[in-house]
Amino acid sequence: MLKKILYLAIFAGLTAVGCKDYDCMPGVIKVNMTDQTIVLTNVNDFNEFDISCPMSWAVTGTVPSWLGVDPPKGGAGITPTTITIKEAHTGDTPRTAILRFMAANGDKVAVTVTQNPSDPTPPAPVGEIIVYDGSNHEVLKPDPGVWWGDNCLFPSLTSLAYNQVSLTGGVINFVYGGLTTAEGATVAHNTATMSDGEADGVYGGYSETGAVTGNSAHMSGGMLWFEVTGGRSETGAVTGNSAHVSDGPALGVVGGDSYSGDVIGNRAILSGGNVADVFGGRGSGGNVTGNHAIVSGGSVYNVYGGRSNFGAATGNHVVISGGSVEREVFGGRSYEDATGNT
């Protein structure tokens, strides 16, 4: 009889709050932290943990503006949750907030978040390097006081393809999307950009003895003492590269360039700024074939679809739709053979 009375009392109590017995047991909402304490410092610092609860739950109370909770509510089961710092803390001592997560039955769990005074804002970077390896990438931002590779900006890793390198300020020697001196190594599909600052030269891709293919270089601001070059090799073939100047003074814009290799199917574009020369393709000992020089804006002295000193220059083209050309225009030029150029 006593057991029956107790059973009825418990059943009545459970029915009154409208939940199952396991829902109303104390501590049904839990977080997977040992002491339920988080310490963070800078903006975007975060801590990830799981909230487990057999019913729906939500953050209760006021969340301070310097904290983010994602998600702020969840359903039954295990919910991955992230606490993120949203604002820098400029005070001299740490600040603390208590976040409360409440289950549908009123059960609560608290997490204490402490933010230390934030680190000073770092100085603006000279450039940003993004080195891709297919799906992952690494972002490296050099300090203005530290020079990369003899005062040059280029990928520090061994990847010679699909790199992106940009100069956004400061003074530096050369910027390379991809760079190698390894024997016969190919440099392909890299990008170098310059939007501000001062440099000697910008190369989408450079290989000392290997092929250079499908690289690009773009200058949209700043000042350049020498040339913007899509791709260059001393002895290898240079194919399908592009260079573009849309603003800023530079000595020249060169789609593809090789000392003794063939230069094929490259493109140089001038749409703004001031340069001395535009070369779709340029070579010394190799053949220069099927390159394009395009001028749609800006000012330039000389324009060459393709030029080779001692090889053939064939099938190169110049297109001028705007801007100003001060001196000469050559579809193709060579001391040996220049045919089929327009």
Side-chain angles (χ1 to χ4, degrees):
M1 184 66 180
L2 180 60
K3 290 182 178 180
K4 185 176 181 180
I5 293 173
L6 290 174
Y7 175 79
L8 291 174
I10 294 172
F11 180 81
L14 294 177
T15 304
V17 295
C19 57
K20 299 178 181 179
D21 55 348
Y22 65 83
D23 287 340
C24 297
M25 293 177 62
V28 298
I29 183 169
K30 296 179 172 58
V31 297
N32 67 337
M33 289 183 285
T34 303
D35 56 3
Q36 297 173 201
T37 300
I38 298 172
V39 180
L40 301 170
T41 301
N42 297 313
V43 174
N44 295 326
D45 285 355
F46 64 92
N47 185 286
E48 295 178 324
F49 56 93
D50 291 334
I51 292 180
S52 60
C53 188
M55 67 189 74
S56 61
W57 59 269
V59 177
T60 183
T62 302
V63 178
S65 61
W66 53 274
L67 279 181
V69 182
D70 184 30
K73 59 183 179 179
I78 297 176
T79 306
T81 306
T82 303
I83 303 295
T84 305
I85 296 295
K86 298 172 59 178
E87 298 176 3
H89 178 33
T90 57
D92 296 327
T93 59
R95 59 183 174 184
T96 298
I98 298 176
L99 300 179
R100 292 178 172 83
F101 301 87
M102 185 171 69
N105 70 336
D107 183 31
K108 296 179 183 178
V109 63
V111 174
T112 301
V113 183
T114 298
Q115 183 185 16
N116 292 319
S118 300
D119 296 334
T121 303
V126 169
E128 179 179 271
I129 300 176
I130 307 177
V131 181
Y132 285 89
D133 60 2
S135 59
N136 299 316
H137 67 277
E138 179 179 359
V139 179
L140 309 170
K141 294 185 177 181
D143 184 274
V146 178
W147 299 120
W148 283 57
D150 192 25
N151 200 8
C152 294
L153 191 64
F154 62 90
S156 61
L157 305 184
T158 57
S159 173
L160 301 178
Y162 298 100
N163 301 305
Q164 295 184 12
V165 178
S166 61
L167 178 65
T168 57
V171 180
I172 209 163
N173 283 354
F174 292 93
V175 181
Y176 297 92
L179 168 70
T180 183
T181 58
E183 182 69 26
T186 297
V187 175
H189 306 296
N190 302 285
T191 301
T193 62
M194 176 179 179
S195 59
D196 201 355
E198 181 180 329
D200 289 338
V202 177
Y203 293 87
Y206 176 91
S207 177
E208 193 166 285
T209 58
V212 176
T213 305
N215 303 280
S216 64
H218 183 201
M219 178 183 182
S220 60
M223 184 176 73
L224 199 64
W225 290 101
F226 296 114
E227 295 171 330
V228 178
T229 305
R232 175 175 170 82
S233 178
E234 301 302 321
T235 60
V238 176
T239 307
N241 303 279
S242 65
H244 184 191
V245 172
S246 58
D247 193 12
L251 181 64
V253 51
V254 184
D257 187 21
S258 181
Y259 180 73
S260 60
D262 292 337
V263 179
I264 304 169
N266 302 281
R267 182 172 63 174
I269 302 171
L270 177 66
S271 61
N274 306 302
V275 302
D277 300 294
V278 175
F279 296 90
R282 182 176 65 188
S284 182
N287 298 322
V288 176
T289 307
N291 302 280
H292 290 76
I294 301 169
V295 178
S296 60
S299 63
V300 55
Y301 284 107
N302 304 299
V303 182
Y304 302 85
R307 177 173 178 172
S308 179
N309 291 335
F310 305 108
T314 58
N316 301 285
H317 304 279
V318 171
V319 177
I320 299 176
S321 61
S324 62
V325 180
E326 304 295 332
R327 294 181 182 173
E328 298 179 310
V329 177
F330 298 92
R333 192 174 189 185
S334 172
Y335 295 123
E336 299 295 328
D337 177 28
T339 57
N341 303 287
T342 59

